[in-house]
Amino acid sequence: MSDLIEELLAGKHRALARVISKIEDRSPGYRELVSQLHEHTGNATVVGITGSPGAGKSTLVDKMAETYRERGETVGVIAIDPSSPFSGGAVLGDRIRMASNVGDMDVFFRSMSARGTLGGLSTATTDAVKALDAFGKDRIIIETVGAGQNEVDIVGTADTVAVLVPPSSGDDVQMLKAGILEIGDVFVVNKADLDGADRTVQELKEMVHMRDASPLAGTAGHHGVETDAVGEEDEDETDDGDDDTWTPPIVETVAKTGEGVEPFLDTLADHRAWLETSGELTEQRRDRYEEEIRRLLREGAGELIREEIERQGGLDRYVDTIVAKETDPYAVTEELLAPLRESVRE
Amino acid sequence: MSTQDSEDRTIRCLVAKVGLDGHDRGAHVIARAFRDAGFEVIYSGLHKSPDEIVQAAVQEDVDVLGISILSGAHNTLVPKIVEGLESYDAFEDTLVLVGGIIPDEDRDELYEMGVDGIFGPGSSMAETIEFVRENAPER
């Protein structure tokens, strides 16, 4: 085992930080490091926090970490911020809001930049979560960038996804139109002290019930129209005695004051318990490992192809012939893949 | 980005405001310039203690720690940060820069403490970025 992993397992923060850097940089040998982490993972619960910019994600994450710490648990946070499409640089600004946990090394807060790629980000995030898990963090929170497709990517890593919705976020709850509704296991109306919060809660409830009623949602009925009173959920209502379905509860929080954070964490725990009892967690993990193998295979195959292209002297020559209409991209691809295919089928 | 193992590392910087001084225009300007140079910048926010800066530098595994001080407290604050980094074995491979108002007579002492570069009011942004590019530690 590498020294770095040994130090990480021994609880050295510097080693943990360095392993995450190597993962982010895809630096030589990072795959071996991640591979060594695997047998030490599986003990942490992973929560994803997503929602539109300004919804209060960072503030809520700060209060979540504080509350977990009060309960004697250790916390890892990965906060993702966008990077510049021009320079590739980034200002990673969420750390500034982690005011409750300063000086407490048992909250390990790490800023990550999207570095321009979505797929790459989810790989790096998944691997960084493994590092925090192996290090021994009880709770891991992933805070997403808050704009765009990364929100949907987070599903690939978190056990439970909480979607934050600010009050009055559009009369049709605009953000729910694309993607976000499907990924939320819990909805949080943060800034619940503001005008319009009640209405947003109501709109979310309608959305959730429409989702339940849709053919895609399986056989889940309209359980508990009156469910999920503000900030305090009732587990009997959320699963309605039927272990096979989960109706996303809607909780209200005021992250700035910490109001509603305890009930929110209890709701997350309920979801986790449901994942375990329903067998969903095992299923989810199997799916993820399968997807991970596929991804690594794609990466590995991609590398083989790059090597082959290099061996052939690069793509320029091919592009020239395509431009001259002597051949076409499909034919070139076929030609390049042929030797690989032959060696596989032999 | 390619999915290959890459030799190119993104330079990560922590731009830190430490102590009581409440002026961070300069820190904002440098943070943005670093961003535009392609670095990843973590900004600490105002009024941080040396411990907080050390915690952030270690967790974020930054290559560069830029400390902005206008208050004149550099002689007490910088050593605390250096000691903190040492206690996590993080001092050796962190490029430590100090920016702001640093009187000439204090500079040697800061360099002896292990500060790698000092950038006063006259320094150009290009010069600072170049210094970081050339001196960011190999890891």
Side-chain angles (χ1 to χ4, degrees), chain A residues 49-74:
Chain A
I49 303 288
T50 184
S52 55
K57 296 186 291 292
S58 302
T59 313
L60 183 64
V61 168
D62 180 38
K63 288 298 193 299
M64 288 170 73
E66 186 183 19
T67 312
Y68 281 134
R69 291 295 296 131
E70 280 164 9
R71 297 178 180 180
E73 296 168 319
T74 59

mmCIF file with all atom_site columns, all heavy atoms in Angstrom, chain A residues 49-74:
data_model
loop_
_atom_site.group_PDB
_atom_site.id
_atom_site.type_symbol
_atom_site.label_atom_id
_atom_site.label_alt_id
_atom_site.label_comp_id
_atom_site.label_asym_id
_atom_site.label_entity_id
_atom_site.label_seq_id
_atom_site.pdbx_PDB_ins_code
_atom_site.Cartn_x
_atom_site.Cartn_y
_atom_site.Cartn_z
_atom_site.occupancy
_atom_site.B_iso_or_equiv
_atom_site.pdbx_formal_charge
_atom_site.auth_seq_id
_atom_site.auth_comp_id
_atom_site.auth_asym_id
_atom_site.auth_atom_id
_atom_site.pdbx_PDB_model_num
ATOM 1   N N   . ILE A 1 49 ? -26.511 18.194 -1.774 1.00 0.00 ? 49 ILE A N   1
ATOM 2   C CA  . ILE A 1 49 ? -27.330 19.392 -1.598 1.00 0.00 ? 49 ILE A CA  1
ATOM 3   C C   . ILE A 1 49 ? -27.281 20.185 -2.892 1.00 0.00 ? 49 ILE A C   1
ATOM 4   O O   . ILE A 1 49 ? -26.200 20.585 -3.331 1.00 0.00 ? 49 ILE A O   1
ATOM 5   C CB  . ILE A 1 49 ? -26.798 20.278 -0.445 1.00 0.00 ? 49 ILE A CB  1
ATOM 6   C CG1 . ILE A 1 49 ? -26.729 19.491 0.863  1.00 0.00 ? 49 ILE A CG1 1
ATOM 7   C CG2 . ILE A 1 49 ? -27.652 21.536 -0.299 1.00 0.00 ? 49 ILE A CG2 1
ATOM 8   C CD1 . ILE A 1 49 ? -28.055 19.181 1.482  1.00 0.00 ? 49 ILE A CD1 1
ATOM 9   N N   . THR A 1 50 ? -28.433 20.395 -3.473 1.00 0.00 ? 50 THR A N   1
ATOM 10  C CA  . THR A 1 50 ? -28.438 21.118 -4.730 1.00 0.00 ? 50 THR A CA  1
ATOM 11  C C   . THR A 1 50 ? -29.582 22.130 -4.746 1.00 0.00 ? 50 THR A C   1
ATOM 12  O O   . THR A 1 50 ? -30.422 22.142 -3.844 1.00 0.00 ? 50 THR A O   1
ATOM 13  C CB  . THR A 1 50 ? -28.532 20.124 -5.908 1.00 0.00 ? 50 THR A CB  1
ATOM 14  O OG1 . THR A 1 50 ? -28.450 20.844 -7.126 1.00 0.00 ? 50 THR A OG1 1
ATOM 15  C CG2 . THR A 1 50 ? -29.835 19.343 -5.876 1.00 0.00 ? 50 THR A CG2 1
ATOM 16  N N   . GLY A 1 51 ? -29.587 22.961 -5.762 1.00 0.00 ? 51 GLY A N   1
ATOM 17  C CA  . GLY A 1 51 ? -30.616 23.989 -5.856 1.00 0.00 ? 51 GLY A CA  1
ATOM 18  C C   . GLY A 1 51 ? -30.061 25.213 -6.545 1.00 0.00 ? 51 GLY A C   1
ATOM 19  O O   . GLY A 1 51 ? -28.860 25.318 -6.757 1.00 0.00 ? 51 GLY A O   1
ATOM 20  N N   . SER A 1 52 ? -30.945 26.118 -6.878 1.00 0.00 ? 52 SER A N   1
ATOM 21  C CA  . SER A 1 52 ? -30.518 27.265 -7.675 1.00 0.00 ? 52 SER A CA  1
ATOM 22  C C   . SER A 1 52 ? -29.580 28.177 -6.881 1.00 0.00 ? 52 SER A C   1
ATOM 23  O O   . SER A 1 52 ? -29.565 28.138 -5.654 1.00 0.00 ? 52 SER A O   1
ATOM 24  C CB  . SER A 1 52 ? -31.739 28.039 -8.151 1.00 0.00 ? 52 SER A CB  1
ATOM 25  O OG  . SER A 1 52 ? -32.528 28.395 -7.043 1.00 0.00 ? 52 SER A OG  1
ATOM 26  N N   . PRO A 1 53 ? -28.789 28.995 -7.597 1.00 0.00 ? 53 PRO A N   1
ATOM 27  C CA  . PRO A 1 53 ? -27.882 29.912 -6.910 1.00 0.00 ? 53 PRO A CA  1
ATOM 28  C C   . PRO A 1 53 ? -28.674 30.842 -5.992 1.00 0.00 ? 53 PRO A C   1
ATOM 29  O O   . PRO A 1 53 ? -29.753 31.290 -6.354 1.00 0.00 ? 53 PRO A O   1
ATOM 30  C CB  . PRO A 1 53 ? -27.244 30.718 -8.053 1.00 0.00 ? 53 PRO A CB  1
ATOM 31  C CG  . PRO A 1 53 ? -27.459 29.906 -9.286 1.00 0.00 ? 53 PRO A CG  1
ATOM 32  C CD  . PRO A 1 53 ? -28.713 29.118 -9.065 1.00 0.00 ? 53 PRO A CD  1
ATOM 33  N N   . GLY A 1 54 ? -28.141 31.059 -4.821 1.00 0.00 ? 54 GLY A N   1
ATOM 34  C CA  . GLY A 1 54 ? -28.818 31.953 -3.884 1.00 0.00 ? 54 GLY A CA  1
ATOM 35  C C   . GLY A 1 54 ? -29.881 31.268 -3.045 1.00 0.00 ? 54 GLY A C   1
ATOM 36  O O   . GLY A 1 54 ? -30.556 31.910 -2.249 1.00 0.00 ? 54 GLY A O   1
ATOM 37  N N   . ALA A 1 55 ? -30.020 29.965 -3.206 1.00 0.00 ? 55 ALA A N   1
ATOM 38  C CA  . ALA A 1 55 ? -31.024 29.245 -2.423 1.00 0.00 ? 55 ALA A CA  1
ATOM 39  C C   . ALA A 1 55 ? -30.587 29.058 -0.970 1.00 0.00 ? 55 ALA A C   1
ATOM 40  O O   . ALA A 1 55 ? -31.393 28.710 -0.115 1.00 0.00 ? 55 ALA A O   1
ATOM 41  C CB  . ALA A 1 55 ? -31.317 27.889 -3.065 1.00 0.00 ? 55 ALA A CB  1
ATOM 42  N N   . GLY A 1 56 ? -29.304 29.286 -0.711 1.00 0.00 ? 56 GLY A N   1
ATOM 43  C CA  . GLY A 1 56 ? -28.804 29.166 0.651  1.00 0.00 ? 56 GLY A CA  1
ATOM 44  C C   . GLY A 1 56 ? -28.127 27.834 0.925  1.00 0.00 ? 56 GLY A C   1
ATOM 45  O O   . GLY A 1 56 ? -28.062 27.392 2.074  1.00 0.00 ? 56 GLY A O   1
ATOM 46  N N   . LYS A 1 57 ? -27.584 27.228 -0.105 1.00 0.00 ? 57 LYS A N   1
ATOM 47  C CA  . LYS A 1 57 ? -26.966 25.910 0.059  1.00 0.00 ? 57 LYS A CA  1
ATOM 48  C C   . LYS A 1 57 ? -25.798 25.930 1.043  1.00 0.00 ? 57 LYS A C   1
ATOM 49  O O   . LYS A 1 57 ? -25.734 25.118 1.958  1.00 0.00 ? 57 LYS A O   1
ATOM 50  C CB  . LYS A 1 57 ? -26.466 25.378 -1.299 1.00 0.00 ? 57 LYS A CB  1
ATOM 51  C CG  . LYS A 1 57 ? -27.563 25.120 -2.307 1.00 0.00 ? 57 LYS A CG  1
ATOM 52  C CD  . LYS A 1 57 ? -27.016 24.454 -3.574 1.00 0.00 ? 57 LYS A CD  1
ATOM 53  C CE  . LYS A 1 57 ? -26.137 25.374 -4.383 1.00 0.00 ? 57 LYS A CE  1
ATOM 54  N NZ  . LYS A 1 57 ? -26.850 26.500 -4.999 1.00 0.00 ? 57 LYS A NZ  1
ATOM 55  N N   . SER A 1 58 ? -24.896 26.890 0.848  1.00 0.00 ? 58 SER A N   1
ATOM 56  C CA  . SER A 1 58 ? -23.696 26.928 1.694  1.00 0.00 ? 58 SER A CA  1
ATOM 57  C C   . SER A 1 58 ? -24.049 27.140 3.159  1.00 0.00 ? 58 SER A C   1
ATOM 58  O O   . SER A 1 58 ? -23.480 26.506 4.051  1.00 0.00 ? 58 SER A O   1
ATOM 59  C CB  . SER A 1 58 ? -22.760 28.048 1.260  1.00 0.00 ? 58 SER A CB  1
ATOM 60  O OG  . SER A 1 58 ? -22.406 27.882 -0.079 1.00 0.00 ? 58 SER A OG  1
ATOM 61  N N   . THR A 1 59 ? -24.980 28.032 3.391  1.00 0.00 ? 59 THR A N   1
ATOM 62  C CA  . THR A 1 59 ? -25.367 28.326 4.769  1.00 0.00 ? 59 THR A CA  1
ATOM 63  C C   . THR A 1 59 ? -26.004 27.101 5.409  1.00 0.00 ? 59 THR A C   1
ATOM 64  O O   . THR A 1 59 ? -25.722 26.766 6.562  1.00 0.00 ? 59 THR A O   1
ATOM 65  C CB  . THR A 1 59 ? -26.340 29.517 4.791  1.00 0.00 ? 59 THR A CB  1
ATOM 66  O OG1 . THR A 1 59 ? -25.806 30.555 3.961  1.00 0.00 ? 59 THR A OG1 1
ATOM 67  C CG2 . THR A 1 59 ? -26.522 30.050 6.198  1.00 0.00 ? 59 THR A CG2 1
ATOM 68  N N   . LEU A 1 60 ? -26.838 26.407 4.654  1.00 0.00 ? 60 LEU A N   1
ATOM 69  C CA  . LEU A 1 60 ? -27.470 25.203 5.190  1.00 0.00 ? 60 LEU A CA  1
ATOM 70  C C   . LEU A 1 60 ? -26.426 24.120 5.469  1.00 0.00 ? 60 LEU A C   1
ATOM 71  O O   . LEU A 1 60 ? -26.460 23.463 6.514  1.00 0.00 ? 60 LEU A O   1
ATOM 72  C CB  . LEU A 1 60 ? -28.535 24.674 4.216  1.00 0.00 ? 60 LEU A CB  1
ATOM 73  C CG  . LEU A 1 60 ? -29.313 23.456 4.724  1.00 0.00 ? 60 LEU A CG  1
ATOM 74  C CD1 . LEU A 1 60 ? -30.123 23.803 5.966  1.00 0.00 ? 60 LEU A CD1 1
ATOM 75  C CD2 . LEU A 1 60 ? -30.227 22.887 3.644  1.00 0.00 ? 60 LEU A CD2 1
ATOM 76  N N   . VAL A 1 61 ? -25.482 23.970 4.543  1.00 0.00 ? 61 VAL A N   1
ATOM 77  C CA  . VAL A 1 61 ? -24.430 22.961 4.723  1.00 0.00 ? 61 VAL A CA  1
ATOM 78  C C   . VAL A 1 61 ? -23.632 23.259 5.998  1.00 0.00 ? 61 VAL A C   1
ATOM 79  O O   . VAL A 1 61 ? -23.307 22.365 6.778  1.00 0.00 ? 61 VAL A O   1
ATOM 80  C CB  . VAL A 1 61 ? -23.497 22.910 3.492  1.00 0.00 ? 61 VAL A CB  1
ATOM 81  C CG1 . VAL A 1 61 ? -22.249 22.087 3.785  1.00 0.00 ? 61 VAL A CG1 1
ATOM 82  C CG2 . VAL A 1 61 ? -24.236 22.315 2.297  1.00 0.00 ? 61 VAL A CG2 1
ATOM 83  N N   . ASP A 1 62 ? -23.346 24.527 6.201  1.00 0.00 ? 62 ASP A N   1
ATOM 84  C CA  . ASP A 1 62 ? -22.626 24.947 7.406  1.00 0.00 ? 62 ASP A CA  1
ATOM 85  C C   . ASP A 1 62 ? -23.380 24.510 8.659  1.00 0.00 ? 62 ASP A C   1
ATOM 86  O O   . ASP A 1 62 ? -22.818 23.914 9.579  1.00 0.00 ? 62 ASP A O   1
ATOM 87  C CB  . ASP A 1 62 ? -22.470 26.478 7.366  1.00 0.00 ? 62 ASP A CB  1
ATOM 88  C CG  . ASP A 1 62 ? -21.727 27.009 8.576  1.00 0.00 ? 62 ASP A CG  1
ATOM 89  O OD1 . ASP A 1 62 ? -20.773 26.334 9.023  1.00 0.00 ? 62 ASP A OD1 1
ATOM 90  O OD2 . ASP A 1 62 ? -22.085 28.091 9.072  1.00 0.00 ? 62 ASP A OD2 1
ATOM 91  N N   . LYS A 1 63 ? -24.668 24.770 8.668  1.00 0.00 ? 63 LYS A N   1
ATOM 92  C CA  . LYS A 1 63 ? -25.485 24.429 9.848  1.00 0.00 ? 63 LYS A CA  1
ATOM 93  C C   . LYS A 1 63 ? -25.644 22.906 9.992  1.00 0.00 ? 63 LYS A C   1
ATOM 94  O O   . LYS A 1 63 ? -25.698 22.381 11.107 1.00 0.00 ? 63 LYS A O   1
ATOM 95  C CB  . LYS A 1 63 ? -26.852 25.102 9.752  1.00 0.00 ? 63 LYS A CB  1
ATOM 96  C CG  . LYS A 1 63 ? -26.794 26.601 9.985  1.00 0.00 ? 63 LYS A CG  1
ATOM 97  C CD  . LYS A 1 63 ? -26.282 26.898 11.392 1.00 0.00 ? 63 LYS A CD  1
ATOM 98  C CE  . LYS A 1 63 ? -26.490 28.352 11.809 1.00 0.00 ? 63 LYS A CE  1
ATOM 99  N NZ  . LYS A 1 63 ? -25.793 29.322 10.957 1.00 0.00 ? 63 LYS A NZ  1
ATOM 100 N N   . MET A 1 64 ? -25.713 22.214 8.866  1.00 0.00 ? 64 MET A N   1
ATOM 101 C CA  . MET A 1 64 ? -25.782 20.746 8.928  1.00 0.00 ? 64 MET A CA  1
ATOM 102 C C   . MET A 1 64 ? -24.522 20.194 9.580  1.00 0.00 ? 64 MET A C   1
ATOM 103 O O   . MET A 1 64 ? -24.591 19.350 10.476 1.00 0.00 ? 64 MET A O   1
ATOM 104 C CB  . MET A 1 64 ? -25.885 20.167 7.511  1.00 0.00 ? 64 MET A CB  1
ATOM 105 C CG  . MET A 1 64 ? -27.212 20.382 6.827  1.00 0.00 ? 64 MET A CG  1
ATOM 106 S SD  . MET A 1 64 ? -27.117 19.920 5.072  1.00 0.00 ? 64 MET A SD  1
ATOM 107 C CE  . MET A 1 64 ? -27.063 18.115 5.211  1.00 0.00 ? 64 MET A CE  1
ATOM 108 N N   . ALA A 1 65 ? -23.383 20.708 9.125  1.00 0.00 ? 65 ALA A N   1
ATOM 109 C CA  . ALA A 1 65 ? -22.102 20.236 9.667  1.00 0.00 ? 65 ALA A CA  1
ATOM 110 C C   . ALA A 1 65 ? -22.038 20.516 11.167 1.00 0.00 ? 65 ALA A C   1
ATOM 111 O O   . ALA A 1 65 ? -21.617 19.656 11.954 1.00 0.00 ? 65 ALA A O   1
ATOM 112 C CB  . ALA A 1 65 ? -20.947 20.914 8.935  1.00 0.00 ? 65 ALA A CB  1
ATOM 113 N N   . GLU A 1 66 ? -22.481 21.697 11.543 1.00 0.00 ? 66 GLU A N   1
ATOM 114 C CA  . GLU A 1 66 ? -22.452 22.072 12.957 1.00 0.00 ? 66 GLU A CA  1
ATOM 115 C C   . GLU A 1 66 ? -23.309 21.103 13.785 1.00 0.00 ? 66 GLU A C   1
ATOM 116 O O   . GLU A 1 66 ? -22.899 20.635 14.848 1.00 0.00 ? 66 GLU A O   1
ATOM 117 C CB  . GLU A 1 66 ? -22.984 23.510 13.102 1.00 0.00 ? 66 GLU A CB  1
ATOM 118 C CG  . GLU A 1 66 ? -22.854 24.054 14.505 1.00 0.00 ? 66 GLU A CG  1
ATOM 119 C CD  . GLU A 1 66 ? -23.451 25.457 14.623 1.00 0.00 ? 66 GLU A CD  1
ATOM 120 O OE1 . GLU A 1 66 ? -24.264 25.856 13.754 1.00 0.00 ? 66 GLU A OE1 1
ATOM 121 O OE2 . GLU A 1 66 ? -23.106 26.152 15.587 1.00 0.00 ? 66 GLU A OE2 1
ATOM 122 N N   . THR A 1 67 ? -24.489 20.798 13.262 1.00 0.00 ? 67 THR A N   1
ATOM 123 C CA  . THR A 1 67 ? -25.405 19.927 14.003 1.00 0.00 ? 67 THR A CA  1
ATOM 124 C C   . THR A 1 67 ? -24.852 18.493 14.099 1.00 0.00 ? 67 THR A C   1
ATOM 125 O O   . THR A 1 67 ? -24.918 17.867 15.152 1.00 0.00 ? 67 THR A O   1
ATOM 126 C CB  . THR A 1 67 ? -26.799 19.931 13.334 1.00 0.00 ? 67 THR A CB  1
ATOM 127 O OG1 . THR A 1 67 ? -27.180 21.289 13.095 1.00 0.00 ? 67 THR A OG1 1
ATOM 128 C CG2 . THR A 1 67 ? -27.834 19.264 14.205 1.00 0.00 ? 67 THR A CG2 1
ATOM 129 N N   . TYR A 1 68 ? -24.305 18.000 12.997 1.00 0.00 ? 68 TYR A N   1
ATOM 130 C CA  . TYR A 1 68 ? -23.685 16.672 13.046 1.00 0.00 ? 68 TYR A CA  1
ATOM 131 C C   . TYR A 1 68 ? -22.552 16.636 14.072 1.00 0.00 ? 68 TYR A C   1
ATOM 132 O O   . TYR A 1 68 ? -22.387 15.657 14.802 1.00 0.00 ? 68 TYR A O   1
ATOM 133 C CB  . TYR A 1 68 ? -23.143 16.279 11.668 1.00 0.00 ? 68 TYR A CB  1
ATOM 134 C CG  . TYR A 1 68 ? -24.188 15.785 10.695 1.00 0.00 ? 68 TYR A CG  1
ATOM 135 C CD1 . TYR A 1 68 ? -24.207 16.252 9.386  1.00 0.00 ? 68 TYR A CD1 1
ATOM 136 C CD2 . TYR A 1 68 ? -25.135 14.825 11.063 1.00 0.00 ? 68 TYR A CD2 1
ATOM 137 C CE1 . TYR A 1 68 ? -25.153 15.798 8.464  1.00 0.00 ? 68 TYR A CE1 1
ATOM 138 C CE2 . TYR A 1 68 ? -26.085 14.367 10.155 1.00 0.00 ? 68 TYR A CE2 1
ATOM 139 C CZ  . TYR A 1 68 ? -26.090 14.853 8.855  1.00 0.00 ? 68 TYR A CZ  1
ATOM 140 O OH  . TYR A 1 68 ? -27.020 14.400 7.969  1.00 0.00 ? 68 TYR A OH  1
ATOM 141 N N   . ARG A 1 69 ? -21.770 17.703 14.111 1.00 0.00 ? 69 ARG A N   1
ATOM 142 C CA  . ARG A 1 69 ? -20.655 17.761 15.062 1.00 0.00 ? 69 ARG A CA  1
ATOM 143 C C   . ARG A 1 69 ? -21.167 17.745 16.497 1.00 0.00 ? 69 ARG A C   1
ATOM 144 O O   . ARG A 1 69 ? -20.584 17.109 17.367 1.00 0.00 ? 69 ARG A O   1
ATOM 145 C CB  . ARG A 1 69 ? -19.798 19.016 14.817 1.00 0.00 ? 69 ARG A CB  1
ATOM 146 C CG  . ARG A 1 69 ? -19.010 19.002 13.547 1.00 0.00 ? 69 ARG A CG  1
ATOM 147 C CD  . ARG A 1 69 ? -17.935 17.922 13.524 1.00 0.00 ? 69 ARG A CD  1
ATOM 148 N NE  . ARG A 1 69 ? -16.923 18.138 14.549 1.00 0.00 ? 69 ARG A NE  1
ATOM 149 C CZ  . ARG A 1 69 ? -16.495 17.205 15.386 1.00 0.00 ? 69 ARG A CZ  1
ATOM 150 N NH1 . ARG A 1 69 ? -16.982 15.984 15.340 1.00 0.00 ? 69 ARG A NH1 1
ATOM 151 N NH2 . ARG A 1 69 ? -15.550 17.497 16.274 1.00 0.00 ? 69 ARG A NH2 1
ATOM 152 N N   . GLU A 1 70 ? -22.269 18.474 16.723 1.00 0.00 ? 70 GLU A N   1
ATOM 153 C CA  . GLU A 1 70 ? -22.862 18.474 18.072 1.00 0.00 ? 70 GLU A CA  1
ATOM 154 C C   . GLU A 1 70 ? -23.293 17.072 18.471 1.00 0.00 ? 70 GLU A C   1
ATOM 155 O O   . GLU A 1 70 ? -23.294 16.724 19.646 1.00 0.00 ? 70 GLU A O   1
ATOM 156 C CB  . GLU A 1 70 ? -24.080 19.409 18.119 1.00 0.00 ? 70 GLU A CB  1
ATOM 157 C CG  . GLU A 1 70 ? -23.696 20.875 18.264 1.00 0.00 ? 70 GLU A CG  1
ATOM 158 C CD  . GLU A 1 70 ? -24.850 21.805 17.916 1.00 0.00 ? 70 GLU A CD  1
ATOM 159 O OE1 . GLU A 1 70 ? -25.992 21.312 17.732 1.00 0.00 ? 70 GLU A OE1 1
ATOM 160 O OE2 . GLU A 1 70 ? -24.599 23.022 17.812 1.00 0.00 ? 70 GLU A OE2 1
ATOM 161 N N   . ARG A 1 71 ? -23.657 16.283 17.471 1.00 0.00 ? 71 ARG A N   1
ATOM 162 C CA  . ARG A 1 71 ? -24.053 14.898 17.743 1.00 0.00 ? 71 ARG A CA  1
ATOM 163 C C   . ARG A 1 71 ? -22.841 13.972 17.837 1.00 0.00 ? 71 ARG A C   1
ATOM 164 O O   . ARG A 1 71 ? -22.990 12.751 17.948 1.00 0.00 ? 71 ARG A O   1
ATOM 165 C CB  . ARG A 1 71 ? -24.975 14.391 16.633 1.00 0.00 ? 71 ARG A CB  1
ATOM 166 C CG  . ARG A 1 71 ? -26.290 15.150 16.542 1.00 0.00 ? 71 ARG A CG  1
ATOM 167 C CD  . ARG A 1 71 ? -27.121 14.610 15.388 1.00 0.00 ? 71 ARG A CD  1
ATOM 168 N NE  . ARG A 1 71 ? -28.391 15.321 15.265 1.00 0.00 ? 71 ARG A NE  1
ATOM 169 C CZ  . ARG A 1 71 ? -29.309 15.045 14.346 1.00 0.00 ? 71 ARG A CZ  1
ATOM 170 N NH1 . ARG A 1 71 ? -29.088 14.068 13.479 1.00 0.00 ? 71 ARG A NH1 1
ATOM 171 N NH2 . ARG A 1 71 ? -30.432 15.708 14.278 1.00 0.00 ? 71 ARG A NH2 1
ATOM 172 N N   . GLY A 1 72 ? -21.659 14.534 17.728 1.00 0.00 ? 72 GLY A N   1
ATOM 173 C CA  . GLY A 1 72 ? -20.440 13.752 17.888 1.00 0.00 ? 72 GLY A CA  1
ATOM 174 C C   . GLY A 1 72 ? -19.964 13.053 16.632 1.00 0.00 ? 72 GLY A C   1
ATOM 175 O O   . GLY A 1 72 ? -19.122 12.159 16.679 1.00 0.00 ? 72 GLY A O   1
ATOM 176 N N   . GLU A 1 73 ? -20.511 13.467 15.488 1.00 0.00 ? 73 GLU A N   1
ATOM 177 C CA  . GLU A 1 73 ? -20.103 12.824 14.240 1.00 0.00 ? 73 GLU A CA  1
ATOM 178 C C   . GLU A 1 73 ? -19.107 13.693 13.472 1.00 0.00 ? 73 GLU A C   1
ATOM 179 O O   . GLU A 1 73 ? -19.111 14.908 13.607 1.00 0.00 ? 73 GLU A O   1
ATOM 180 C CB  . GLU A 1 73 ? -21.340 12.560 13.370 1.00 0.00 ? 73 GLU A CB  1
ATOM 181 C CG  . GLU A 1 73 ? -22.285 11.575 14.010 1.00 0.00 ? 73 GLU A CG  1
ATOM 182 C CD  . GLU A 1 73 ? -23.638 11.498 13.324 1.00 0.00 ? 73 GLU A CD  1
ATOM 183 O OE1 . GLU A 1 73 ? -24.181 12.542 12.937 1.00 0.00 ? 73 GLU A OE1 1
ATOM 184 O OE2 . GLU A 1 73 ? -24.147 10.387 13.199 1.00 0.00 ? 73 GLU A OE2 1
ATOM 185 N N   . THR A 1 74 ? -18.287 13.029 12.674 1.00 0.00 ? 74 THR A N   1
ATOM 186 C CA  . THR A 1 74 ? -17.337 13.800 11.867 1.00 0.00 ? 74 THR A CA  1
ATOM 187 C C   . THR A 1 74 ? -17.908 14.001 10.462 1.00 0.00 ? 74 THR A C   1
ATOM 188 O O   . THR A 1 74 ? -18.717 13.220 9.995  1.00 0.00 ? 74 THR A O   1
ATOM 189 C CB  . THR A 1 74 ? -15.977 13.077 11.763 1.00 0.00 ? 74 THR A CB  1
ATOM 190 O OG1 . THR A 1 74 ? -16.188 11.792 11.174 1.00 0.00 ? 74 THR A OG1 1
ATOM 191 C CG2 . THR A 1 74 ? -15.332 12.929 13.124 1.00 0.00 ? 74 THR A CG2 1
#
